[in-house]
Amino acid sequence: MATSGKVIRCRAAVAWAAGKSLSVEEIEVAPPKAREVRVKMVATGICHTDEHVLEGNFPDVDFPVILGHEGAGIVESIGEGVTSVKPGDKVILFPLPQCGECSFCLNPDSNYCLKSHLTEPQNLMPDKTTRFTCKGKQIQHFLWNSTFAEYTVVPEYTLAKIDAAAPLDKVCVFACGFSTGYGAAVNTAKVKLGSTCAVFGLGGVGLSVVMGCKAAGASRIIAIDINKDKFAKAKEMGATECINPQDFKKPIQQVLTEMTGHGVDYSFEAIGTADTLIAALASCNMNTGVCVMVGVLPAGSTVPIDPFLLLSGRTCKGTLAGGWKMRDSIPKLVASYLEKKFNSDLLITHTLPFILILTSRRDAQQLSEVHLCQLVDTASSTICNSSLPFLPLQHSHRDALLKDAIRAAHSPAHALLCGPSPPALPFMECEDRSTRNLSAVLLLPALLCPSSPEKTVI
Ligand code: NAD
Ligand code: ZN
Ligand code: ZN
C-alpha cells in the first residue's frame, strides 16, 4: 500500500489523564516494526474495561493512552517476520495475546499468555517503545490494541486473520465482550445441560453470558440487573426470568436461593463490584455451585468473603476473555457466526460514527431518538480538523448539544470542513453498556457535511 513504511497521520481518541474526557486528536502512527502489524480500524466496540481505565481503576496503565480493545480492521502493512497476515486481510485485534511460545500458551487448559497485561504491562510495544505520537508527545498503547484510533499497531500475536466474508462492524465484539461472556459460560463454568444459572449484570458481557448458558442447555437462566430496560433483550437471548435487586427488601442472594431451593448451579458476576461478587458467590449452591467472576473490580481493592461460603465446596473462579485461546479461537468463532450458530448481532444496540463514547443508557436512548448513525454520510464526510472544539457531553445537556452540533455543522463557518474526496470514516459499534460514565466527545460537526442536509433527521 502507498502508506507502507510511512508514518500515518490520522485521528484517535486520546485519554490524556484519568478522570478526564477523551479528546479526539490528530496523531502520528509509526510503521510496524519486526513482528508487528499496522491495522486500519473499521469498527470497535466499547467495553466497560475502557471506562475502568478512565476511572483510574485498572492496574498499570500509563497516560496519555489510546484506549479501546474490541476492534476489527484491515491490515495496512506488516513488519519484518510477520507470517500470519498480509496487507488487505481482515483481522480482529484482541486484548489477551497468544504468543504461542510461553509455558502458559503451551498449556492446553489455559488461555492466559505470559505476555498479557497483568504480567507484562502493555503500555509500550514489546520493544518498549510506542508507535503513537500526538502534539510531540509519546502516547501509550492499551492492551496492545488501542482501537479508538483510525490506525493502530499491534504485535502479530495480538490479532487473528478472519474470514473475508465477515462483517467487521458486527464481529468486532468477538474481541472482548461477546467472547468473554459466552466463553465464561461454555469454557470457564462449563455449564451443564438442564442446570440453573444466575447472571449478574446485563451489559454486553452479561448478555453474552446469557447466550452462552442458553447454548449450553441451561434450563433456567435468571438475569439480574438494576436496570429493568435490559430485561427484554436478556429474554430475547435466553433468560427465563429477570429480576431487579431493588425490587426486594432482602439480599438478592437470599432471593435467588429461595427461588431455586438451594441456590443456582452456576452464577456469573459481570458487573465489577465487591458486593455483587459476594452476592453471586452466595447465590450458587453451597455444594457444587460455581461462581465465575467476569467483572473487573477496581485495582487494589479487596473482597471480604465469609470463608464458610467456600468451606462446603462452592467454587469461585475468574475468567479472562472467556477462557478462549484467542488467536486460535476467534477465527473459529467468526466461522460459527457466519454459519449462524449464534446471533451476537443482538448485542449491538447502536452503530455510531467515529467517535462517540456513550455515557449512559439515557444518552443512548437520546442518540437513538435522533438516529445519529443516519446523520452521517461517509462518502461526503471529512477528516477531523483538530482545531474543532469537541463537545463534552453532559448527561442533562446531551440532547441540546446534539442539536447544536448538527446546527453548527450546517453553518457556513463549517462548510470548509467538507473536502471533495475525504477518506472513509471508521465506525464505532457501541453496545449499550448502561452504567458507563465515560466523559464523551462528539465529532459530529466534523462528520456532518453541510452539503447533505437531507441526512439530518431532527
Ligand atoms: P456494562 O457497564 O455494560 O454492564 C454492566 C451492567 O451491570 C449494566 O447493565 C448495569 O445496569 C448492571 N449493574 C450495575 N450495577 C449493578 C448492581 N449493583 N446490581 C445489578 N446490576 C448492576 O459492562 P460490560 O461492558 O458488560 O462489562 C461488565 C464487566 O465485565 C466490567 O467490569 C468489565 O470491566 C468486565 N469485563 C471483564 C472481562 C474479562 O476478561 N474478565 C472482559 C470484558 C469485560
Ligand atoms: Zn473488554
Ligand atoms: Zn504466551
Side-chain angles (χ1 to χ4, degrees):
M1 286 197 187
T3 46
S4 180
K6 296 180 188 154
V7 170
I8 293 179
R9 291 174 75 81
C10 65
R11 294 174 303 171
V14 176
W16 290 102
K20 292 261 164 46
S21 305
L22 295 183
S23 173
V24 178
E25 310 278 7
E26 193 168 271
I27 61 159
E28 296 83 37
V29 184
K33 292 192 181 175
R35 296 202 65 190
E36 295 175 1
V37 180
R38 188 159 62 182
V39 179
K40 179 174 170 41
M41 297 310 306
V42 173
T44 179
I46 304 171
C47 173
H48 201 119
T49 303
D50 299 310
E51 184 176 358
H52 289 320
V53 178
L54 285 180
E55 290 164 347
N57 286 336
F58 199 76
D60 300 322
V61 173
D62 292 337
F63 290 84
V65 60
I66 297 171
L67 299 175
H69 62 279
E70 209 170 71
I74 294 169
V75 174
E76 175 270 340
S77 60
I78 56 174
E80 201 186 318
V82 170
T83 54
S84 62
V85 293
K86 59 180 187 319
D89 283 348
K90 282 188 178 177
V91 288
I92 289 182
L93 285 53
F94 35 82
L96 194 62
Q98 186 187 344
C99 80
E101 292 164 2
C102 73
S103 59
F104 284 14
C105 274
L106 294 173
N107 179 349
D109 298 330
S110 121
N111 74 329
Y112 187 86
C113 169
L114 284 170
K115 295 201 184 298
S116 301
H117 179 79
L118 297 180
T119 318
E120 179 190 327
Q122 297 166 339
N123 303 314
L124 294 169
M125 295 298 278
D127 74 346
K128 305 299 175 203
T129 61
T130 173
R131 303 291 162 269
F132 300 129
T133 50
C134 177
K135 297 176 181 165
K137 292 199 175 68
Q138 298 211 327
I139 308 295
Q140 308 284 310
H141 293 250
F142 178 55
L143 301 179
W144 285 340
N145 274 209
S146 296
T147 61
F148 292 172
E150 290 176 305
Y151 286 86
T152 190
V153 178
V154 303
E156 183 182 12
Y157 44 71
T158 305
L159 53 64
K161 179 179 172 177
I162 55 165
D163 194 314
L168 297 179
D169 59 342
K170 299 288 188 292
V171 300
C172 63
V173 296
F174 291 15
C176 185
F178 173 74
S179 307
T180 298
Y182 196 83
V186 303
N187 296 330
T188 311
K190 297 192 171 37
V191 167
K192 288 187 185 146
L193 196 68
S195 58
T196 53
C197 301
V199 182
F200 287 71
L202 302 174
V205 176
L207 288 171
S208 302
V209 175
V210 170
M211 289 173 83
C213 293
K214 164 124 175 131
S219 62
R220 212 170 161 190
I221 304 168
I222 307 170
I224 301 127
D225 204 295
I226 50 175
N227 177 359
K228 63 179 172 34
D229 293 351
K230 298 296 186 88
F231 293 168
K233 186 147 272 193
K235 287 205 166 146
E236 197 181 351
M237 291 177 172
T240 53
E241 293 133 277
C242 294
I243 53 175
N244 181 346
Q246 293 168 338
D247 290 342
F248 301 90
K249 289 213 171 69
K250 45 189 152 184
I252 193 67
Q253 49 267 49
Q254 200 179 326
V255 174
L256 285 160
T257 304
E258 289 168 8
M259 281 172 77
T260 54
H262 299 286
V264 294
D265 298 311
Y266 306 96
S267 60
F268 299 85
E269 200 281 353
I271 301 164
T273 73
D275 287 348
T276 45
L277 180 58
I278 294 167
L281 179 61
S283 302
C284 65
N285 80 65
M286 65 190 295
N287 182 19
T288 57
V290 175
C291 169
V292 179
M293 170 186 165
V294 192
V296 175
L297 271 70
S301 64
T302 52
V303 183
I305 290 178
D306 175 351
F308 279 89
L309 283 174
L310 298 171
L311 191 66
S312 51
R314 277 189 187 91
T315 306
C316 187
K317 62 205 301 201
T319 190
L320 272 181
W324 305 100
K325 279 188 187 292
M326 298 214 93
R327 207 163 164 210
D328 295 343
S329 305
I330 281 190
K332 293 179 191 159
L333 282 168
V334 169
S336 298
Y337 166 86
L338 292 173
E339 288 164 20
K340 301 198 185 316
K341 290 190 177 156
F342 47 75
N343 184 8
S344 49
D345 292 357
L346 290 173
L347 294 172
I348 298 167
T349 54
H350 300 82
T351 301
L352 302 170
F354 185 81
I355 193 169
L356 178 68
I357 312 294
L358 297 185
T359 64
S360 73
R361 181 194 58 75
R362 191 171 147 259
D363 297 329
Q365 267 181 351
Q366 287 174 347
L367 291 172
S368 80
E369 280 159 19
V370 297
H371 303 294
L372 188 64
C373 50
Q374 293 178 32
L375 291 172
V376 177
D377 175 357
T378 46
S380 58
S381 297
T382 183
I383 196 157
C384 161
N385 177 335
S386 56
S387 66
L388 262 183
F390 297 110
L391 301 172
L393 298 185
Q394 305 298 328
H395 289 207
S396 51
H397 303 312
R398 177 180 287 263
D399 203 28
L401 277 169
L402 274 173
K403 286 178 181 158
D404 284 352
I406 289 160
R407 258 185 241 115
H410 290 277
S411 72
H414 288 75
L416 72 164
L417 292 173
C418 286
S421 55
L425 288 163
F427 282 74
M428 300 195 78
E429 284 294 340
C430 293
E431 295 151 51
D432 185 0
R433 312 276 173 93
S434 71
T435 54
R436 70 184 66 258
N437 56 14
L438 285 175
S439 298
V441 287
L442 176 61
L443 208 57
L444 201 53
L447 290 167
L448 282 172
C449 178
S451 65
S452 56
E454 70 279 7
K455 295 285 174 189
T456 306
V457 293
I458 62 171

